[in-house]
Amino acid sequence: MASVFLFHVVGDLTVGKPEMAEFCETETVEAAIRAIGESTEAGIPVWRKRSPKMVIETPEMRQQRFMGILNPFDIVSFLARDWCLEDQERAMRTPVSEVVVHNASLLTEVDPGTRLIDALEMMKQGVRRLLVPKSLGWRGMSKRFSIIYSGKWLKNIDASSNNLINQAANLSRPSSSTATIRDKFCCLSREDIIRFLIGCLGALAPLPLSSISYVGAINPNYCFMEASVPAIEATQKVPQDYPSAVAVVEPTSDGQHKIIGDISATKLWKCDYLAAAWALANLSAGQFVMGVEDNMSSSRSLPDFSANAMHGDSKLANGGGSARARKFSSRSIGFFTNPSSPSFGIGRNMYRGRSAPLTCRATSSLAAVMAQMLSHRATHVWVTEADTDDVLVGVVGYADILGAVTRPPASTIPETQTS
């Protein structure tokens, strides 16, 4: 076990984190789209309203108010329903309580003095967000906590340092590490943990330079769908836990899967939600992830589509957008940018910009994959065979990385290979 997990506490990761503003269950889908677009994560926690009679709220009461985390895929799936497509204005006014997937186990409140190793164990078990009370004067207490958790530091402390030891012992008690600001919290995500680990690569050596295959970070139990099936079937396949993604594949003659794209919450984060909902309901998975021409000849008529026509200046497309009507194409979803070849079927072109799946090879180093996820703000990376770029063998998500870095070290580390 790397000492960095024992010597640091959750409070060390909250320095500079903004205060969390609760998003209420009575807010509309339209408001949620704006909030997600402005958030630093591809998802927002949804809360029940606090009772006005509640003078002091305990952690248990707060936990009962938490409903779940609303992500872009949840919204697009909801807007792809038949009645939503027929009455988009009504759909946009729907309370998010009818859209969010209820799961109170995705968030838990912890004290700033909670050890990082304990926080990692919670996240490995499925917790996505840690609710941490904002504290007055928190400057990081990891060294003082290390006096308690690391016996070797005690050897350098003489008898005159007893007061410091007693102070550290007092700091270790929950909710007493520093004065908390009443009813002010910040949220730590698994992405925050990965970002912290990137800054501690030396303390984790030689693990970060080992391949993801060697450290056991590849999850072979990924969700997938063939390119020819309706894209709407992705709503039945996306897992509840991260990575919240479905790979869109083309089968090979030997039974393997060639990845051509994915349908996920992170891909839909900055998209035009109404256009994406129409495409999800009417196109095949391959068309959805790879693009459809404006002048595509098809028996299915493509409507004149304006995602913002009914909402005036409401900024729903890519965080901005306009009310200008346009002919629908999958490029209008918001993540198709650069036309290229070869073509995908008749009348369909590949638009490989942000729509291209994020992939790595089984021989890629753990550090490289972590950096890849952070640079693309992604919750997952698809893993392909060592000698190919598109034959899928698994996926790496947050939980897989956390499991790899906290796993007992092997006796030997082989020569690393990176790509």
Side-chain angles (χ1 to χ4, degrees):
M1 181 69 66
S3 60
V4 67
F5 300 135
L6 301 176
F7 294 173
H8 282 273
V9 293
V10 169
D12 294 337
L13 279 65
T14 63
V15 177
K17 288 287 290 184
E19 178 187 343
M20 182 197 70
E22 290 189 1
F23 191 83
C24 184
E25 61 174 332
T26 57
E27 295 282 358
T28 64
V29 169
E30 186 171 0
I33 292 175
R34 291 197 189 94
I36 291 175
E38 296 169 357
S39 70
T40 57
E41 308 282 345
I44 52 174
V46 178
W47 301 82
R48 296 182 179 89
K49 277 189 174 182
R50 181 174 176 176
S51 172
K53 299 180 181 180
M54 191 181 300
V55 179
I56 299 178
E57 186 178 42
T58 66
E60 292 75 19
M61 295 175 180
R62 209 160 17 248
Q63 188 71 46
Q64 291 175 0
R65 288 198 302 112
F66 173 70
M67 297 180 68
I69 297 178
L70 183 66
N71 65 50
F73 187 83
D74 296 330
I75 294 178
V76 172
S77 299
F78 169 75
L79 295 175
R81 298 177 183 178
D82 291 340
W83 74 266
C84 291
L85 294 174
E86 294 172 1
D87 191 348
Q88 294 174 341
E89 188 171 0
R90 175 190 165 199
M92 283 294 185
R93 295 197 307 266
T94 302
V96 294
S97 59
E98 300 181 20
V99 182
V100 65
V101 178
H102 292 229
N103 189 345
S105 66
L106 298 182
L107 177 145
T108 189
E109 183 176 339
V110 299
D111 186 84
T114 302
R115 292 188 306 169
L116 185 57
I117 184 61
D118 298 326
L120 263 61
E121 288 301 321
M122 296 178 196
M123 289 188 162
K124 285 165 58 179
Q125 298 302 318
V127 174
R128 296 187 195 175
R129 304 286 175 89
L130 297 176
L131 190 66
V132 187
K134 294 286 283 184
S135 302
L136 290 170
W138 182 271
R139 295 294 183 270
M141 299 295 181
S142 57
K143 185 172 182 178
R144 299 183 188 182
F145 274 86
S146 298
I147 296 173
I148 299 172
Y149 296 123
S150 175
K152 64 181 181 181
W153 283 24
L154 292 175
K155 298 177 181 178
N156 299 325
I157 301 176
D158 55 25
S160 63
S161 301
N162 288 335
N163 290 336
L164 180 59
I165 298 176
N166 292 332
Q167 181 185 8
N170 290 331
L171 289 171
S172 69
R173 298 191 185 104
S175 301
S176 64
S177 56
T178 187
T180 58
I181 306 174
R182 182 174 174 182
D183 296 334
K184 292 185 182 294
F185 299 86
C186 63
C187 258
L188 283 182
S189 66
R190 289 193 270 193
E191 181 178 325
D192 292 320
I193 301 293
I194 300 300
R195 187 175 293 108
F196 173 80
L197 295 180
I198 282 286
C200 303
L201 293 182
L204 298 175
L207 189 69
L209 296 181
S210 303
S211 71
I212 54 175
S213 176
Y214 176 77
V215 300
I218 303 175
N219 184 356
N221 301 315
Y222 57 89
C223 296
F224 68 94
M225 60 192 301
E226 293 188 10
S228 59
V229 305
I232 194 65
E233 290 190 12
T235 60
Q236 307 299 323
K237 291 180 175 291
V238 169
Q240 292 299 312
D241 191 23
Y242 281 138
S244 182
V246 176
V248 179
V249 303
E250 289 182 331
T252 63
S253 57
D254 56 357
Q256 295 179 313
H257 301 139
K258 294 180 64 176
I259 186 170
I260 62 173
D262 73 348
I263 302 176
S264 63
T266 51
K267 284 293 184 184
L268 296 170
W269 185 4
K270 302 292 184 179
C271 77
D272 184 326
Y273 286 75
L274 292 174
W278 187 94
L280 191 70
N282 290 278
L283 302 179
S284 70
Q287 290 173 328
F288 185 86
V289 302
M290 298 190 71
V292 180
E293 288 183 339
D294 291 307
N295 59 355
M296 169 182 143
S297 59
S298 172
S299 58
R300 182 191 300 112
S301 59
L302 298 178
D304 287 329
F305 190 86
S306 176
N308 300 314
M310 68 187 68
H311 300 286
D313 294 330
S314 62
K315 299 178 180 181
L316 302 180
N318 296 315
S322 67
R324 179 175 61 86
R326 59 192 181 280
K327 185 71 174 178
F328 175 83
S329 78
S330 56
R331 281 178 293 181
S332 70
I333 294 175
F335 51 75
F336 303 110
T337 54
N338 301 319
S340 61
S341 60
S343 62
F344 172 72
I346 299 176
R348 294 187 286 266
N349 285 339
M350 295 170 63
Y351 297 97
R352 315 306 285 161
R354 287 177 55 213
S355 65
L358 189 62
T359 62
C360 67
R361 295 189 178 183
T363 53
S364 298
S365 70
L366 182 63
V369 174
M370 291 165 62
Q372 194 176 10
M373 292 174 69
L374 291 178
S375 63
H376 289 269
R377 303 304 304 276
T379 59
H380 60 282
V381 178
W382 301 103
V383 184
T384 61
E385 289 183 342
D387 55 349
T388 64
D389 290 327
D390 54 7
V391 176
L392 196 58
V393 296
V395 66
V396 176
Y398 289 143
D400 304 308
I401 292 178
L402 297 181
V405 297
T406 56
R407 195 170 291 125
S411 57
T412 58
I413 300 290
E415 183 179 352
T416 58
Q417 293 178 303
T418 61
S419 61

